[in-house]
Amino acid sequence: MRTVEEHLQAVLTGVLPLSPLEVTLVDARGCVLAEDVVAPWPLPPFDTASIDGYAVKAADLLAASDGIPAVLPVVDDVPAGYRASVELLPGTAIRIMAGAPMPEGAEAVVPFAWTDSGMPEVRIVRAIALGTNVRSRGADVPLHEVVARAGSILGPREIALLASVGLGSVSVHPQPRVVVLSTGNELVEPGGGLLPGLVPDSNGVTIAAAVQEAGAIAYRVGPIPDDPAPLMSTIEDQLVRADLIVTTGGVSATAYDTVKEVLSRLGTVEFTTVAMQPGMPQGHGVLGPDQTPIFVLPGNPVSAYVSFEIFVRPVIRRMLGHQRIHRPVVRAVLSEALPSPAGKRQFARGVLSIEDGRYVVSPAAGRGSHVLGALANSNALVVVPEGVTEVLPGAAVAVIRLDEV
Ligand code: AMP
Ligand code: MG
């Protein structure tokens, strides 16, 4: 029997971030940048009017007042998206809209409120300082400045900056494509109606959702019967589009050996027991010409989900290029007694909350590996060490937060 750490170490060995790929900014959301990015353009890329008004030379308004306005001919009119067709000469003004490039020779933009909004001649009642209402080229981001570092995670704010400095795509570690496959003669498509003996393939949709939540792309397949031929051909077909395969079912000691038999023909997959509850039986290895990693998770829905969280999710996060691959762990006060099996690390479902400024965790009512109602109501896994057979109320426990990245 392996410890959780030993199995985790084994499944992470050799896992690297996927090779960088150039993707559009929209597709880059959530991805990890593969290289530093420098601004190919400054921001703003040209001196820009920041308000609607009149572009002027400051010297022409030195004496302007309510009593004696400066009167200037308006020689051009520049909406955003256009450029002035003439240079601004002393003694003239150009009407300009916010976002338009400053005309050659212009020094400031007078807001409409200081004027009579006149055309083709404007009266201006105040003096203005050089540079007022102008955003200078490069003031926000100078040319060739590093705007994002390798390893940073691209969200809307980072993407806003990348787009603004003129980029349309960036080099990221792409999202792994994860094939999720369920095996079991009893399984039927969820929502398809149930006859006695049949079970909805909840693992397929659960693990696919968990894969997506981890940041990867899920391709759900199945359910596949416990029969070597269809399982073999399905896995062979799926290998071409998989960076990782996750199957559930058929690994417990009493299960039919279909999965083991097929996988031993397609690659090197090791079946082990891990000292944990739930999730003891675990299969892991590589398949096919590209040595595609595969996880064979136990079929019990809670076991499958917990196994995914503890072993598969960190692998996906590493493929995505993340530095932090594990969920955050906090210390919490246990609200009621929690028994635990000797010699196994227990991951008990629980509800984590904050009471009087400290974390408190309540174990979920149902503890069996099949109890999904309790899983759905929980937001955390209480970790009870191998050597402990009971944790008393009030004791501090480590808690994995399932609702935090
Ligand atoms: P197995 O690992 O195939 O022996 O399955 C153990 C238990 O989990 C059995 O009660 C199965 O019916 C159940 N099970 C297996 N696969 C799934 C699945 N994809 N969705 C829901 N329950 C499953
Ligand atoms: Mg089965």
Side-chain angles (χ1 to χ4, degrees):
M1 192 139 52
R2 275 184 186 171
T3 65
V4 171
E5 269 77 27
E6 285 165 351
H7 193 57
L8 192 55
Q9 168 98 54
V11 302
L12 282 168
T13 299
V15 176
L16 294 172
L18 296 188
S19 301
L21 185 73
E22 189 82 7
V23 299
T24 66
L25 291 182
V26 170
D27 290 334
R29 211 276 319 159
C31 291
V32 175
L33 206 53
E35 58 192 24
D36 289 356
V37 175
V38 297
W41 295 89
L43 181 64
F46 44 79
D47 291 346
T48 309
S50 68
I51 58 162
D52 296 344
Y54 292 89
V56 294
K57 284 198 182 285
D60 288 332
L61 304 184
L62 286 178
S65 68
D66 286 315
I68 312 167
V71 182
L72 301 174
V74 182
V75 297
D76 201 355
D77 189 13
V78 193
Y82 291 84
R83 302 166 50 125
S85 54
V86 291
E87 185 183 339
L88 187 100
L89 297 173
T92 67
I94 290 177
R95 191 162 79 164
I96 193 165
M97 297 297 144
M102 289 296 285
E104 194 76 18
E107 294 170 348
V109 179
V110 178
F112 281 127
W114 298 2
T115 76
D116 65 353
S117 302
M119 280 293 234
E121 199 174 73
V122 62
R123 281 159 203 281
I124 301 173
V125 297
R126 285 206 212 163
I128 195 161
L130 280 175
T132 305
N133 300 320
V134 178
R135 297 196 188 115
S136 339
R137 172 182 152 94
D140 190 344
V141 180
L143 180 67
H144 296 154
E145 181 167 278
V146 175
V147 284
R149 297 258 173 219
S152 57
I153 303 165
L154 298 177
R157 294 180 297 279
E158 291 77 15
I159 288 171
L161 180 58
L162 295 170
S164 300
V165 296
L167 293 160
S169 61
V170 279
S171 178
V172 299
H173 299 290
Q175 294 178 279
R177 297 157 304 163
V178 182
V179 168
V180 178
L181 196 152
S182 307
T183 62
N185 287 332
E186 74 282 25
L187 301 176
V188 292
E189 188 62 24
L194 287 175
L195 293 169
L198 299 182
V199 172
D201 171 22
S202 67
N203 287 348
V205 290
T206 307
I207 301 301
V211 163
Q212 290 171 335
E213 199 231 17
I217 297 166
Y219 296 128
R220 178 179 164 244
V221 185
I224 315 285
D226 290 308
D227 180 0
L231 182 59
M232 180 92 170
S233 65
T234 304
I235 291 182
E236 280 180 325
D237 288 350
Q238 295 298 326
L239 269 173
V240 293
R241 64 167 176 175
D243 297 304
L244 175 67
I245 298 179
V246 182
T247 75
T248 63
V251 281
S252 49
T254 51
Y256 294 107
D257 278 346
T258 311
V259 174
K260 293 183 190 176
E261 183 197 321
V262 167
L263 295 182
S264 64
R265 277 191 264 159
L266 287 173
T268 328
V269 181
E270 201 183 350
F271 291 88
T272 42
T273 48
V274 179
M276 66 191 281
Q277 188 191 65
M280 244 207 344
Q282 298 285 339
H284 176 263
V286 291
L287 291 187
D290 299 330
Q291 305 276 287
T292 307
I294 180 169
F295 281 90
V296 185
L297 305 182
N300 260 316
V302 177
S303 309
Y305 173 71
V306 171
S307 304
F308 178 91
E309 276 292 330
I310 304 301
F311 302 120
V312 187
R313 193 172 185 283
V315 166
I316 290 177
R317 302 291 289 175
R318 179 157 292 169
M319 286 177 159
L320 280 162
H322 287 284
Q323 294 296 321
R324 213 163 39 71
I325 59 175
H326 297 292
R327 297 268 197 199
V329 175
V330 297
R331 305 282 301 169
V333 176
L334 190 68
S335 70
E336 55 190 87
L338 180 58
S340 195
K344 291 182 188 175
R345 184 174 305 180
Q346 183 181 202
F347 296 98
R349 280 67 69 205
V351 180
L352 182 73
S353 57
I354 295 178
E355 285 172 26
D356 295 331
R358 53 181 202 167
Y359 285 117
V360 174
V361 68
S362 314
R367 307 241 165 96
S369 305
H370 57 285
V371 185
L372 278 173
L375 179 66
N377 288 329
S378 55
N379 61 1
L381 295 174
V382 182
V383 185
V384 185
E386 290 77 351
V388 177
T389 52
E390 177 164 35
V391 191
L392 297 175
V397 284
V399 176
I400 300 172
R401 302 195 61 168
L402 296 174
D403 53 6
E404 297 280 318
V405 181

